[in-house]
Amino acid sequence: MAEVTATIQVAGIKDALKALNKIDKSLRREITRDYKGIVQGVIDDAYQSIPLKEPLSGMARVWAPKEYQILPWSNNNNIKAMINTKRVKEYAGANVNLATFVVKWLNPDAGLFDFLQSGVMGSRLNAKFGSPSRVMWKAWERNKDDVNQRMTDLVKRVMNSTSQELM
């Protein structure tokens, strides 16, 4: 019987995760679970910083520019940890899909509350809650040392697992 050989060249963590998914799906799912556990402190911290009721009284009203409803303020806050293995590409002059490991606040009004700084609403949010980013970046800053250490270990494990599986 003829011997079949193949070579796979892994350049970065996105490629390693893609290769690992082809080789050992259970290990890839384990890495995703581990990542979510690593950033759970950031997510919990962010949830503690989100107001339970509308931050400003006007945020209780409906605001739907171009038929996309952003307000009223909703309490269905949804912060997710995700792994993005999509290739980096250019869109409208900017590179997109740069991040591999992501913690994202998926709420229509999240961007307004977390990042708005100009205009009447922005100045009132600044006065009441401080400057942007009011939730996500501050949660990251409070947890970054622990996350960075644990993520370094996780990335090493991914790269080692990929190398061992390919040999």
Side-chain angles (χ1 to χ4, degrees):
M1 179 173 236
E3 184 178 327
V4 177
T5 60
T7 59
I8 298 175
Q9 211 172 16
V10 177
I13 188 69
K14 283 188 179 199
D15 294 331
L17 287 166
K18 284 181 186 178
L20 194 57
N21 196 44
K22 291 176 185 174
I23 297 165
D24 188 350
K25 289 185 186 298
S26 64
L27 181 57
R28 171 63 172 80
R29 283 192 295 273
E30 180 184 326
I31 287 167
T32 300
R33 278 191 303 274
D34 291 350
Y35 165 66
K36 288 179 179 183
I38 289 170
V39 296
Q40 191 59 48
V42 175
I43 293 170
D44 293 342
D45 199 335
Y47 276 130
Q48 296 299 316
S49 302
I50 299 171
L52 296 176
K53 63 179 193 140
E54 60 276 346
L56 302 173
S57 61
M59 291 180 140
R61 297 185 191 101
V62 174
W63 181 38
K66 297 184 182 178
E67 300 176 21
Y68 177 75
Q69 185 171 330
I70 298 173
L71 293 173
W73 180 260
S74 60
N75 256 350
N76 61 346
N77 294 308
N78 190 8
I79 300 175
K80 292 223 183 255
M82 299 176 269
I83 295 179
N84 174 15
T85 57
K86 293 179 183 174
R87 66 179 177 83
V88 176
K89 63 182 179 181
E90 187 178 330
Y91 177 76
N95 288 330
V96 295
N97 293 325
L98 291 173
T100 303
F101 298 100
V102 180
V103 177
K104 205 173 197 180
W105 185 7
L106 302 168
N107 217 29
D109 43 15
L112 281 177
F113 178 74
D114 206 20
F115 293 108
L116 191 65
Q117 74 178 28
S118 60
V120 175
M121 188 184 292
S123 63
R124 289 187 180 158
L125 285 170
N126 288 341
K128 193 169 180 181
F129 297 99
S131 61
S133 162
R134 297 174 183 91
V135 175
M136 297 305 290
W137 189 258
K138 288 178 182 170
W140 161 252
E141 284 293 322
R142 288 187 289 266
N143 293 278
K144 71 180 178 181
D145 294 333
D146 178 51
V147 172
N148 280 334
Q149 178 58 47
R150 294 173 65 195
M151 284 302 295
T152 300
D153 297 340
L154 179 67
V155 168
K156 285 178 184 174
R157 195 171 110 217
V158 169
M159 300 310 270
N160 289 338
S161 296
T162 306
S163 298
Q164 289 172 1
E165 293 290 336
L166 294 176
M167 290 188 184

